[in-house]
Amino acid sequence: MIFSPSLAGRVLAGLAAAFTVGAAGARAEPPEPAEPVSAFRALSSNMDAYCSRISLIRSATRRVDIQTYILTPDITGSGLIRELEAAAARGVAIRLLLDDYGSHEAKPRLDTLRRTPGVEIRYVNASQHRGLGRRIDYLLRFGQLNRRMHNKSFIVDDRAAIIGGRNIGDVYFRQGEVKFADLDVIVEGPVVADLTGVFELYWNAPLAAPLEAIDPLPARPRTFRDPSPDLAPRCEEGAEPSAPFQSAPTLVFSDPPTKLYARPDTPHAFDPIREQIQQEIGAPSRSLLVISPYFIPSDDWVEGLVALRSRGVDVRVLTNSAKATNSTPVHAAYSKYRRDLLEGGVRLFEFKPTGEPVEEPDLEFAGLRSRSTLHAKTFAVDGDRIFVGSFNFDPRSVNLNTEMGLVLRSPPAAQGVKDFLDTGARASAYELRAQEGRIVWLDTGSGEEKVLKREPGLNIFEKALLRLLALAPIEHLL
């Protein structure tokens, strides 16, 4: 299949360059690292992200450990399951740890895999029901089942791992029409042992139940036909990677699985990734550059970001526009904070819509249909370090989901994020400004600056929907 160059595709290329081209902008040697040094490589193209996973499975000799929020049995999801079946058949141990809300549709497709010796599949925070009973269960136990294991890790033989924002399914990997602009890294070295430790914590957590206990394997195999296997990306052996490995001190950030059932008012018990990120951000002296598809700053965050600007720190945020987002309620909640951020000097950018409308499988809100969507989750601090992982700057990541990611102390990669926002964002995003008490959107993609005085692409009904959702008392759930 041929990669179609589109606006989202150019964003993927720009994110890849953020980890490589940025080396030219590094001016000073970093200090001697206090943390162990590991090797990393960006996986910013959909093809590279998919085929790197396939290559790792094919190279496995002992074990494959996969933890993910969403696994869908579509073209790429089923293609990856076929590779796991082949690995299991040659004696590789497979452990698959899935979130029940995001991956329940995959259960019938996993029947063949779980019949193979050496394969274990567990679901986290699962409902014991199907169909209508499942929906009723979510209503009755909403406070518990609304918590989600949002972690994404892909570990092979304790020697290499993939960490980032991608789940497993077509919208994250399909070639041709680019659906999501996303970001992962593949890592090797000492950090992999730490990632394996995180996986073990979740694998042995009380809420991780064997699939057999939730959905017993039927005596007669269920019929499941893979959708269009001939359309799956073809991963050639020995293909050259799109970017070289680099070395950097690397830290693992992760929530503990107890966050899935700890009381929200338990101090410091269920949200350590927030504390780790706050500690890592610290008090930036030069820059804080955030790329987050779902960005809902609380009043406290707004105050903190504006305070940084008052000290001369370069604060920029890239998130989705109203027509690019795949969660209209999230955009409505974020829109309430835009004016205060802009008037406080924070620079805001919103990713433009492009391509055909798509729907991410984990979102069930009615509203605007999403188009090609920014899904990468990263931030860079002081041109010195960069975070890549599953964490969004929103209440759900802070309070409800478990999250994980890596901090890479890499000045070239951090500089690359700045370069991307300096140049690539001009073509792929609107820049927002506060002018005369109102917000305007600047579009410079065509080479000349256009000032849009209304939120781009919205009709009167969509604007009304956003205003209505902004008033709804649901921000703590988003």
Side-chain angles (χ1 to χ4, degrees):
M1 303 183 72
I2 299 174
F3 182 80
S4 173
S6 66
L7 187 56
R10 291 197 294 273
V11 172
L12 293 176
L15 288 172
F19 282 76
T20 54
V21 179
R27 298 295 185 217
E29 290 295 323
E32 286 298 317
E35 302 86 12
V37 173
S38 295
F40 73 93
R41 180 170 69 84
L43 303 176
S44 288
S45 83
N46 289 341
M47 189 69 169
D48 194 9
Y50 182 77
C51 287
S52 291
R53 287 165 168 83
I54 298 301
S55 178
L56 283 178
I57 295 172
R58 291 174 179 174
S59 70
T61 59
R62 295 186 295 108
R63 190 174 72 238
V64 176
D65 292 335
I66 299 175
Q67 180 180 15
T68 190
Y69 171 46
I70 294 174
L71 170 60
T72 52
D74 47 22
I75 293 173
T76 53
S78 293
L80 190 138
I81 293 171
R82 288 195 301 273
E83 294 290 341
L84 292 176
E85 291 169 347
R90 65 175 189 267
V92 175
I94 307 293
R95 293 193 295 180
L96 201 54
L97 186 60
L98 306 172
D99 179 85
D100 186 66
Y101 183 88
S103 301
H104 69 276
E105 292 181 358
K107 291 170 185 173
R109 176 60 185 87
L110 296 172
D111 282 357
T112 304
L113 178 61
R114 60 175 164 151
R115 288 178 186 273
T116 307
V119 173
E120 296 181 85
I121 303 172
R122 297 184 183 180
Y123 272 73
V124 172
N125 207 15
S127 170
Q128 300 290 330
H129 304 277
R130 300 181 188 174
L132 179 60
R134 176 185 176 85
R135 294 183 180 274
I136 294 174
D137 194 23
Y138 266 89
L139 288 174
L140 295 177
R141 297 198 294 142
F142 181 78
Q144 175 59 56
L145 295 180
N146 186 45
R147 296 175 180 269
R148 301 170 193 170
M149 183 196 73
H150 198 238
N151 308 38
K152 291 115 178 160
S153 68
F154 196 106
I155 309 168
V156 172
D157 289 342
D158 296 325
R159 62 175 173 81
I162 296 174
I163 302 295
R166 286 184 176 93
N167 293 291
I168 298 173
D170 283 354
V171 293
Y172 306 96
F173 298 125
R174 283 290 299 277
Q175 300 302 298
E177 281 294 337
V178 177
K179 307 303 187 194
F180 277 23
D182 218 324
L183 178 65
D184 300 323
V185 292
I186 182 171
V187 291
E188 298 176 351
V191 72
V192 179
D194 295 333
L195 293 169
T196 299
V198 172
F199 181 92
E200 295 287 352
L201 283 175
Y202 280 83
W203 183 258
N204 295 301
L207 287 180
L211 179 53
E212 286 72 19
I214 304 165
D215 185 18
L217 196 60
R220 301 181 65 179
R222 290 176 287 201
T223 300
F224 190 98
R225 179 175 296 177
D226 282 357
S228 305
D230 56 311
L231 295 181
R234 296 183 180 181
C235 302
E236 303 296 335
E237 296 293 338
E240 289 295 321
S242 60
F245 273 93
Q246 302 179 60
S247 295
T250 307
L251 297 172
V252 175
F253 283 9
S254 175
D255 281 314
T258 52
K259 184 178 179 182
L260 293 170
Y261 50 82
R263 287 175 54 85
D265 57 357
T266 304
H268 311 296
F270 78 110
D271 59 354
I273 194 169
R274 176 180 63 181
E275 296 173 10
Q276 294 166 23
I277 287 175
Q278 288 177 335
Q279 182 178 2
E280 185 63 26
I281 291 177
S285 60
R286 289 182 288 150
S287 62
L288 174 60
L289 311 176
V290 176
I291 299 176
S292 182
Y294 315 116
F295 180 71
I296 307 177
S298 64
D299 290 331
D300 289 343
W301 285 4
V302 171
E303 183 179 341
L305 294 175
V306 170
L308 289 176
R309 281 296 302 129
S310 69
R311 298 199 299 269
V313 177
D314 177 13
V315 181
R316 284 182 265 177
V317 177
L318 170 63
T319 190
N320 279 305
S321 66
K323 294 295 283 187
T325 186
N326 61 348
S327 179
T328 304
V330 167
H331 185 82
Y334 145 75
S335 66
K336 297 184 297 185
Y337 298 100
R338 291 186 297 201
R339 181 173 297 178
D340 287 343
L341 288 167
L342 292 169
E343 291 178 349
V346 176
R347 295 181 67 186
L348 292 181
F349 299 84
E350 294 182 358
F351 184 65
K352 296 177 182 177
T354 176
E356 295 300 317
V358 296
E359 294 177 355
E360 188 180 13
D362 70 319
L363 296 174
E364 296 180 352
F365 290 113
L368 314 181
R369 295 191 68 198
S370 61
R371 295 175 180 269
S372 294
T373 295
L374 176 71
H375 198 252
K377 309 143 197 314
T378 184
F379 64 83
V381 182
D382 284 345
D384 173 68
R385 53 208 186 276
I386 183 171
F387 171 89
V388 178
S390 66
F391 181 87
N392 294 297
F393 281 76
D394 61 15
R396 172 162 289 279
S397 283
V398 170
N399 298 318
L400 297 174
N401 291 350
T402 61
E403 307 286 358
M404 67 183 301
L406 301 174
V407 167
L408 307 162
R409 295 189 180 277
S410 171
Q415 176 65 35
V417 173
K418 180 180 182 300
D419 293 343
F420 171 66
L421 290 177
D422 284 344
T423 57
R426 294 181 181 179
S428 59
Y430 307 107
E431 181 172 3
L432 280 63
R433 298 274 177 85
Q435 289 186 1
E436 300 177 352
R438 65 184 302 175
I439 296 174
V440 299
W441 286 257
L442 304 184
D443 185 356
T444 57
S446 62
E448 60 182 39
E449 183 176 282
K450 298 179 181 178
V451 179
L452 308 177
K453 296 184 178 180
R454 295 181 176 87
E455 192 148 5
L458 299 186
N459 60 40
I460 187 171
F461 300 105
E462 292 167 338
K463 292 176 184 177
L465 175 62
L466 283 173
R467 291 193 185 100
L468 181 63
L469 288 171
L471 297 174
I474 59 174
E475 184 172 318
H476 63 290
L477 300 174
L478 302 176

